[in-house]
């Protein structure tokens, strides 16, 4: 029975997202908020040109509505919600410019990075003031804590900016990012319950429900894309949860697909810059699988399964280590 309230949060978030999606998709089509497909991407994606984007708006709005009516008393959740909404707004600006200019480039890399850093700094200030978090990093699968003093703040900024960009890179196939985020949020819901942070567990369930509701429209063939509006917000929310639960390093394992996608881009660029050769047929990693002959749905399901195995394995190891 202990899980019933959290299951209710998920169900309400799913229903709210689906309802808002039914309203939001026609509006996105009416105002021609269409996705521009990058020319250097796989040719099979060109048929997606014109699909509405900015679906992250109704996903995050659903999260705001459900959270305010259920968890507005928690400072931790308020900080997480502010970070999520802030990244959503930043992503919306990027998507809006893309749609307005009819191109695949919105904000410049410097503008986007600066916005991400400023929002992450605000989150750091809010959590340190309201929650009085310690300046220590918990080493995964151990009881060790590494105290790094005021270096903890730039560390947190790197985690948040890195996670939001990693989820953004993962958002390249129908349902891929939303499904992986659902799994990660559910894993963090269980982890938050394990460490006694019931309010954070509730927020994680709400975000998971929003991702599941969004999949109703985003699974192949997608009726709408989340855009940077959604991917930056989801990445920020996941990173924020890792911070308030002091599991920043654990995020590397709980979000293994996001890490793999980001690493594939870093390695591809580094290899080409240093040796003039590409490691992958195309990055991020999901495109490599596509160009290797996998169908879009095969890649998505394989990545979902991998993320699920990683999350389950991590939670199992955490529980075993806690009992030892």
């Amino acid at each position: 029975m202990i899980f019933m309230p959290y299951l209710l949060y998920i169900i309400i978030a799913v229903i709210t997202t689906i309802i808002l999606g039914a309203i939001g998709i026609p509006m996105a089509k009416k105002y021609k908020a269409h996705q521009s497909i990058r020319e250097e991407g796989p040719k099979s994606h060109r048929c997606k040109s014109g699909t509405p984007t900015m679906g992250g708006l109704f996903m995050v709005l659903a999260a705001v509505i459900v959270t305010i009516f259920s968890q507005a008393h928690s400072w931790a959740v308020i900080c997480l919600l502010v970070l999520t909404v802030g990244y959503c707004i930043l992503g919306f600006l990027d998507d809006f410019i893309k749609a307005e200019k009819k191109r695949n480039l919105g904000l410049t890399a410097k503008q986007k990075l600066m916005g991400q850093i400023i929002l992450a700094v605000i989150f750091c200030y809010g959590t340190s003031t309201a929650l009085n978090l310690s300046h220590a990093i918990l080493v995964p699968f151990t009881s060790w804590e590494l105290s790094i003093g005021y270096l903890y703040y730039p560390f947190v900024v790197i985690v948040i900016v890195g996670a939001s960009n990693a989820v953004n890179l993962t958002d390249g196939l129908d349902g891929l990012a939303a499904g992986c985020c659902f799994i990660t949020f559910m894993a963090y819901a269980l982890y938050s319950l394990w460490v006694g942070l019931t309010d954070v567990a509730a927020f994680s369930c709400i975000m998971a429900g929003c991702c599941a509701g969004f999949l109703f429209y985003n699974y192949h063939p997608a009726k709408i894309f989340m855009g940077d509006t959604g991917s930056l917000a989801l990445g920020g929310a996941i990173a924020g949860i890792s911070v308030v639960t002091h599991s920043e390093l654990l995020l590397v394992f709980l979000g293994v697909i996001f890490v793999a996608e980001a690493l594939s881009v870093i390695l591809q660029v580094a290899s080409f810059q240093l040796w003039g050769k590409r490691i992958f047929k195309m990055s991020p990693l999901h495109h490599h699988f596509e160009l290797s002959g996998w169908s879009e749905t095969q890649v998505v399901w394989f990545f979902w399964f991998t993320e699920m195995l990683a999350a389950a394995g991590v939670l199992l190891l955490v529980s075993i280590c806690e009992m030892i």
Side-chain angles (χ1 to χ4, degrees):
M1 294 297 291
I2 190 173
F3 295 108
M4 284 304 295
Y6 302 99
L7 180 61
L8 188 61
Y9 291 140
I10 296 172
I11 294 172
I12 293 173
V14 169
I15 294 172
T16 305
T17 305
I18 291 175
I19 292 173
L20 291 178
I23 300 170
I25 292 176
M27 290 179 64
K29 290 179 178 178
K30 178 181 177 181
Y31 292 104
K32 299 180 180 179
H34 295 158
Q35 177 74 39
S36 297
I37 306 300
R38 61 173 184 159
E39 295 179 2
E40 64 272 21
K43 294 180 180 178
S44 59
H45 286 211
R46 293 177 184 175
C47 62
K48 299 182 181 185
S49 182
T51 301
T53 188
M54 304 186 203
L57 271 179
F58 64 77
M59 184 166 43
V60 173
L61 179 58
V64 170
I65 293 171
V66 180
T67 301
I68 286 177
F69 280 99
S70 62
Q71 299 297 317
H73 60 279
S74 167
W75 279 111
V77 171
I78 290 173
C79 289
L80 289 169
L81 194 61
V82 169
L83 180 67
T84 303
V85 172
Y87 270 75
C88 175
I89 293 171
L90 181 65
F92 173 77
L93 290 174
D94 191 43
D95 286 334
F96 181 80
I97 294 172
K98 291 176 185 176
E100 187 71 18
K101 301 293 184 181
K102 300 294 187 296
R103 63 184 188 185
N104 194 49
L105 296 173
L107 294 172
T108 66
K110 288 183 179 179
Q111 289 171 335
K112 188 185 293 187
L113 180 61
M114 185 57 65
Q116 289 173 306
I117 292 174
I118 291 172
L119 290 168
V121 169
I122 292 172
F123 177 77
C124 283
Y125 176 78
T127 52
S128 63
T129 303
L131 307 179
N132 195 27
L133 295 178
S134 66
H135 299 166
I137 303 172
L138 181 64
V139 179
F141 316 119
T142 72
S143 58
W144 302 342
E145 286 191 351
L146 180 63
S147 181
I148 58 175
Y150 288 106
L151 288 176
Y152 180 72
Y153 296 116
F155 169 72
V156 166
V157 170
I158 292 171
V159 169
I160 295 173
V161 173
S164 64
N165 283 320
V167 175
N168 183 234
L169 291 170
T170 305
D171 183 33
L173 301 180
D174 295 353
L176 177 57
C180 288
C181 284
F182 169 80
I183 296 167
T184 307
F185 280 123
M186 287 304 301
Y188 262 118
L190 293 172
Y191 181 80
S192 299
L193 283 175
W194 180 267
V195 297
L197 296 174
T198 55
D199 51 350
V200 180
F203 179 76
S204 299
C205 286
I206 291 168
M207 294 304 300
C210 292
C211 290
F214 186 71
L215 278 171
F216 183 80
Y217 300 108
N218 186 239
Y219 186 71
H220 186 76
K223 298 179 180 66
I224 192 168
F225 301 136
M226 69 170 68
D228 286 13
T229 306
S231 60
L232 292 183
L234 293 179
I238 290 171
I241 292 170
S242 78
V243 173
V244 297
T245 56
H246 262 310
S247 58
E248 299 92 346
L249 295 183
L250 199 66
L251 177 57
V252 174
F253 306 99
L254 285 176
V256 66
I257 289 298
F258 308 128
V259 174
E261 294 274 36
L263 276 178
S264 70
V265 174
I266 294 170
L267 292 173
Q268 185 86 323
V269 172
S271 177
F272 188 76
Q273 292 290 334
L274 294 173
W275 301 290
K277 294 182 180 180
R278 291 180 171 86
I279 300 175
F280 306 101
K281 294 181 179 180
M282 184 178 289
S283 64
L285 189 60
H286 54 263
H287 288 324
H288 173 79
F289 280 86
E290 277 192 291
L291 296 180
S292 297
W294 291 41
S295 70
E296 183 169 349
T297 52
Q298 284 177 322
V299 177
V300 169
W301 277 96
F302 176 69
F303 278 39
W304 283 358
F305 182 70
T306 303
E307 177 67 21
M308 195 179 302
L309 278 182
V314 167
L315 292 176
L316 179 61
L317 279 174
V318 168
S319 62
I320 291 173
C321 292
E322 286 288 333
M323 290 186 290
I324 295 176

